[in-house]
Amino acid sequence: MIICFACVALLICAGAGFFLMQKYNIQITSQDEAASLRSDVEPDLIKPPTEVQPPVTTSADNKEFNIGDLFNKANPAVATVITYDSGNNKFSQGSGFFINKDGHFITNYHVVKGAYSIVVQLKDKVELKVAYVLAENEAKDLIKLAVDIPGGSLEPGMWLEIDPESPDITDKIIVIGTPMGLGRTVSDGIISAIREIPDRGLVFQMTAPISRGSSGSPVIDMHGKVVGVAFLQIVNGQNLNFAIPGENIINLKTEQLLNIAAWSEKRNSEAHKNLENLRKAIVKHIKSDPSKEEIEKPVKPMPTSKALKL
């Protein structure tokens, strides 16, 4: 009896289900079939395109360093510049840095002006001799030197890359140099202004402190690239320090290879010639009676070392 009632109930449920499916057009499909049905029913429905994200750049060029890591990265490329006069007496001191594995070295023109020999002192106190002047720009206060490298090539990490783009105002920077003879000195700050100076062009004003002996120091951004070269501090101002844009390093052109002594002799000769031409022009201008011009006596050239001191 119970079995009969169960069968009747099952038949009633089945009939009710069939009735509802017919009335409301209910269909039972698999997931794949449902997707196929939707595609057939709505052929004009287009999904929005998936936005392609740019690849994540992991290049070291875009990596920002903290000050400690940046100093450790750049320190091996920076050196103290020591110059000597024609009598092999210590003449001046400054800072500079390597820009490639071949030992090409950048410093300020005024740091080496008048020198007859130059050495660069590395962080481990090893001194390397400068062989040649490769390129110069006195107006921009830059000079590129060729340093004698044992084995002919620097080890990786001993040179700095130049950024040809100008930094933005407020960009963070550090300076590594030899202020007052204190080697391996690091200071930090920001680019505080970009200024135009007559006969020199653009210069960067910065808050990173520099002192005498810092001339030629690299100004390095937080990516580890050189954006400038320190060259000037206004002593009477409040933290007014200036750098030459790194772009000017790239624009240096090699014209004639000269060793340091020959380069200085050439520059001294040009300076004496210019000075003599100026003297003649002044004498000619102030003489009122050309018929009474004195016969100019030849000027005996003085020793170069004495001329440099004067």
Side-chain angles (χ1 to χ4, degrees):
M1 187 72 173
I2 295 173
I3 295 173
C4 290
F5 278 118
C7 290
V8 172
L10 182 60
L11 288 171
I12 292 171
C13 289
F18 180 76
F19 173 79
L20 290 172
M21 289 174 64
Q22 292 296 323
K23 183 174 181 181
Y24 297 104
N25 194 26
I26 297 175
Q27 297 182 16
I28 300 174
T29 63
S30 68
Q31 224 174 5
D32 292 339
E33 290 171 340
S36 177
L37 286 171
R38 284 196 299 271
S39 176
D40 293 340
V41 174
E42 300 174 328
D44 296 330
L45 182 62
I46 301 175
K47 293 182 180 180
T50 303
E51 184 178 354
V52 179
Q53 297 294 333
V56 177
T57 303
T58 58
S59 169
D61 291 343
N62 292 325
K63 178 181 178 181
E64 282 203 12
F65 296 88
N66 61 45
I67 292 178
D69 291 340
L70 185 56
F71 173 74
N72 291 331
K73 177 183 185 306
N75 191 27
V78 182
T80 301
V81 181
I82 304 171
T83 72
Y84 297 87
D85 65 15
S86 58
N88 204 32
N89 302 304
K90 191 172 180 180
F91 188 63
S92 66
Q93 183 171 300
S95 307
F97 55 97
F98 291 102
I99 59 171
N100 58 33
K101 66 178 182 180
D102 298 321
H104 294 176
F105 189 85
I106 297 295
T107 187
N108 285 141
Y109 183 98
H110 78 259
V111 169
V112 301
K113 184 177 181 180
Y116 273 71
S117 64
I118 306 171
V119 297
V120 298
Q121 188 181 81
L122 308 182
K123 68 183 183 71
D124 54 6
K125 302 300 182 181
V126 171
E127 292 186 351
L128 302 177
K129 187 177 180 180
V130 174
Y132 301 103
V133 173
L134 292 172
E136 60 183 292
N137 188 330
E138 186 174 7
K140 299 292 185 183
D141 200 9
L142 287 175
I143 192 165
K144 184 196 293 186
L145 307 171
V147 178
D148 276 335
I149 305 298
S153 179
L154 290 171
E155 295 180 5
M158 289 189 66
W159 64 88
L160 295 171
E161 184 179 349
I162 310 300
D163 191 343
E165 302 295 328
S166 294
D168 294 324
I169 295 174
T170 74
D171 278 0
K172 294 181 180 179
I173 46 91
I174 69 167
V175 178
I176 306 174
T178 314
M180 306 299 291
L182 302 173
R184 309 293 129 190
T185 297
V186 59
S187 59
D188 69 315
I190 62 169
I191 300 294
S192 53
I194 299 176
R195 305 195 182 280
E196 180 83 24
I197 295 182
D199 301 324
R200 190 177 293 275
L202 287 179
V203 298
F204 302 148
Q205 183 180 330
M206 59 186 180
T207 61
I210 58 175
S211 300
R212 185 179 178 85
S214 294
S215 294
S217 299
V219 179
I220 306 167
D221 67 14
M222 303 311 288
H223 300 290
K225 294 184 179 181
V226 175
V227 296
V229 182
F231 81 103
L232 173 67
Q233 176 200 30
I234 298 179
V235 179
N236 295 332
Q238 181 67 33
N239 201 19
L240 298 177
N241 314 289
F242 296 88
I244 303 155
E247 177 186 9
N248 293 314
I249 299 173
I250 299 173
N251 293 334
L252 288 172
K253 303 298 181 184
T254 301
E255 296 180 0
Q256 182 182 8
L257 293 181
L258 293 172
N259 64 41
I260 304 304
W263 174 76
S264 284
E265 285 289 355
K266 182 181 179 182
R267 292 293 169 264
N268 291 337
S269 176
E270 291 173 352
H272 282 304
K273 184 177 180 180
N274 292 336
L275 185 61
E276 181 63 15
N277 289 338
L278 177 62
R279 187 189 70 82
K280 289 180 179 179
I282 293 173
V283 169
K284 184 177 181 179
H285 178 72
I286 63 176
K287 284 183 176 178
S288 57
D289 186 358
S291 63
K292 295 181 180 180
E293 287 185 7
E294 297 179 5
I295 299 175
E296 295 182 4
K297 296 180 181 180
V299 179
K300 184 178 179 181
M302 64 179 66
T304 303
S305 57
K306 185 177 180 181
L308 290 173
K309 289 179 180 179
L310 289 175

